[in-house]
Amino acid sequence: MSERHHVEVLVIGGGIIGCSIAYHLTRMGKQDVAVLEKNQLTHGATWHAAGLVGQLRSSRNTTRMLQKSVELYDRLGAETGQALDWKKVGSLRLASSKDRMLEVKRLATTSKSFGLEMQILSAREAQELFPIMTTEGVEGAAYIPSDGYIDPSSVCQALAKGARDKGAKIHQGVEVLEVRRDGRRATEIVTSEGTWTFDILVNAGGMWSRELGALSNVRVPACALEHQYMITDPIPDVPKDMPTMRDPDRLIYYKPEVRGMVVGGYEKGTLPFGDKGIPQGFGRELLGGNFDRFEQLACLAAEITPVINTVGIRELINGPIPYSADGDFVMGKAAELDNYFVASGFLYGIAAGGGAGQMMAEWIVDEAPSLDLWPLDIRRFSEHHNTNYFMYNRAVEHYGGHYLLHKPGEEAEAARGIRRSPLYTILKEKGACYGSKAGWERPNWFVPAGMEPRDQLDFDRTKTNWFSPVTQECKAVRENVALIDQSSFAKMEIVGPGALGALQRLAISNIDKPEGSVIYTQLCNEKGGIEADLTICRLGPQHFYVVTGSGFATHDFHWIKAHLPNDGSVHAFEVTSAKAVINICGPNSRSVLQAVTNNDLTNKAFPFSSCQQIEIGAATLWALRIGYVGELGWELHIPTEFAAHVYELLWAAGQDYDIANVGYRAIDSLRLEKGYVYWSSEVTPDYTPYDAGLGFKVALKSKADFIGRDALQGTKEKGPSQKLSTFTIEADVSLYGAETIFLGEDVVGLTTSANHGHTIDKQIALGYLPKSIADLQGFEIEAFGKRYPATRVDGALYDPMNERLKV
């Protein structure tokens, strides 16, 4: 009879992430924790990691998470008595081109808002810190003094010891053979040494996490790719405390190593590992070094550090490293099971290890991390991300682009064209320049006749090839009539005798409105943070239709399903593929739409925030009088097979009005002119509706109970601590979001979104301010290292009374 064990939290994977999760769980009072490792601790990818610890990332909360790693590594050795070999020597990031220097200045601006010290150095100052580099062709550098490097195996062992000291059990040489589930819960696992039951299961299996997830039908779009670095022979006169260095223009990084240097990088065309299955028994092993592929990196390294040409190569390391379908971490609760958590895809797991373990422990114990980690949340992925075709092709592309200069608006090229609207070919022939969102091909903009439908990007958006065409698209929406293909909206139907009650509990607004109502609302957590920002249409007494953003399907629908009663009274099912969406908008939209339907579209018969079934040609469809651009308009939700037919009728009817096609770049500009929020930017679990200016949506008077009610009642009574504010900037500068907001010399906020307002012809930025200063003026916004005066504006910049929406 096999041995049976039970534990409250079972972590699978003994790399740095699994050990860090166990360590932090014990610090949060969870002693009944076990870690199972199929080989030995650090085997897999941890032991051969380069060990760089860098903190600054484009996401504010990802940076904060990495800062927590540094805070932990600063104290972990003394706490556990385990030597870490933690070298807090700082890091350099070179700029070897003028565009890269712009990026460095932008990073410096961002770092201020993150509370991370970063200095901009001259080439000569960088050389003083890293003497083996040349200054030739170097424009400057960024220096972060609190970065460094650490021995991966030592820090992993220290975390394991810290976990053991607080009661966790770590079992090595235990292989998972089977994972059993009952309904929406994982219940037990069968291993090579017995059966385990548990309350919570955590998949921290590194390169094996996808295979492990498949044992219980949990999609984990994480994989492994080959990564190489070389270790040089000793280099004479290398300073003892030399910082790490990255030279992204040459795709390479450096780390001091026993009087020599580790030199690695991210070249195009790396190879996937395990795409046909990870070899049985693979553990603490390396792959054969590929000198031909590494040669391009070695030659680039020799340019900036000529001494590389004169010393020998001691070793070329080639090992599989974790990666994901979009190049970032895969963290959080899986959508498929209620007690299954994932922590995988850690490209820079050593840098993330300490902070990621803390965030995961909070997710498990408190049901949410203390930082909103949407950019890393496993629910950002859809089903297609987990296919070999998409995941490996996109991962290899992201790997090769890891250090490339990414200009705003850049689109991936691998694994494109996989989700297409019924209008895809029609709009392509009309000049659509497509981008990708959640796998969907969506028109970003439409090229004028004779222009190639391809982006030409620049940090200064006025120098792009799309700026002028987008100006005209915005003009068409504001002054005339336009069609927008929004078929990529995620859609769900919710039906059953308990549907109304369930949605009343989920939403902050009153959903018990007449049939045909369209209700824009938020779904909040118990703390009042915004978990979803969406539209609910009441199609019948107990029949509702939910519409949300393209990339939020898994997240939002998981949140909804997780909070529905399990008594069979409510059924929820996604219908994204069943409905195409054409948005017809602009002051002439009623005239064009009325030309193709017999239904009465007058304001009295079809008011704003309502929906009706109408006929257009041979199609019966739902028309929703609502929109995201701030003009009269309807979203037409059409059975997919009728979409092209409906589009052709609308296009023909619109010829008398010079109707235009419009893309998503115009939408973003138009919505900022209206001050409309976007979930994951302006509204997240970090903010309440009162913070975001959406307090009018909270039905405290008309509903006795809903998720987050008590917290929101308290916020209303005492007032929010922060306020979403709108700024305009007259200066000739391009803003993109994540710029620092100053009042005098004080950093007071961070822009959440920014774009050019094509109607008002000014730069627009949204960002939160402390309530105590939210009524002041005199703010500045820093972009690319320079501050610009910013005027704070109350209310919407365009049509603040919403008169144009309701005519």
Side-chain angles (χ1 to χ4, degrees), residues 738-791:
E739 294 89 9
T740 306
I741 306 170
F742 284 87
L743 183 61
E745 292 305 310
D746 295 330
V747 173
V748 295
L750 180 74
T751 62
T752 53
S753 296
N755 204 334
H756 184 80
H758 291 269
T759 309
I760 66 170
D761 197 24
K762 295 178 182 177
Q763 291 291 311
I764 305 169
L766 302 183
Y768 282 91
L769 294 173
K771 191 70 184 327
S772 59
I773 63 169
D775 293 331
L776 301 180
Q777 290 290 354
F779 296 96
E780 293 180 302
I781 292 178
E782 184 172 300
F784 302 106
K786 185 178 177 181
R787 296 188 196 177
Y788 299 89
T791 302

Side-chain angles (χ1 to χ4, degrees), residues 40 60 101 134 174 199 311 313-314 328 408 421 424 472 495 514-515 529 572 612 621 624 652 685 696 764:
Q40 301 295 309
R60 183 179 194 175
M101 196 65 204
T134 178
V174 179
D199 299 329
V311 298
I313 298 176
R314 194 169 81 215
D328 225 327
S421 154
Y424 174 84
Q472 295 305 309
V495 299
E515 293 176 36
Q612 297 179 24
L621 55 93
L624 283 54
F696 66 96
I764 305 169

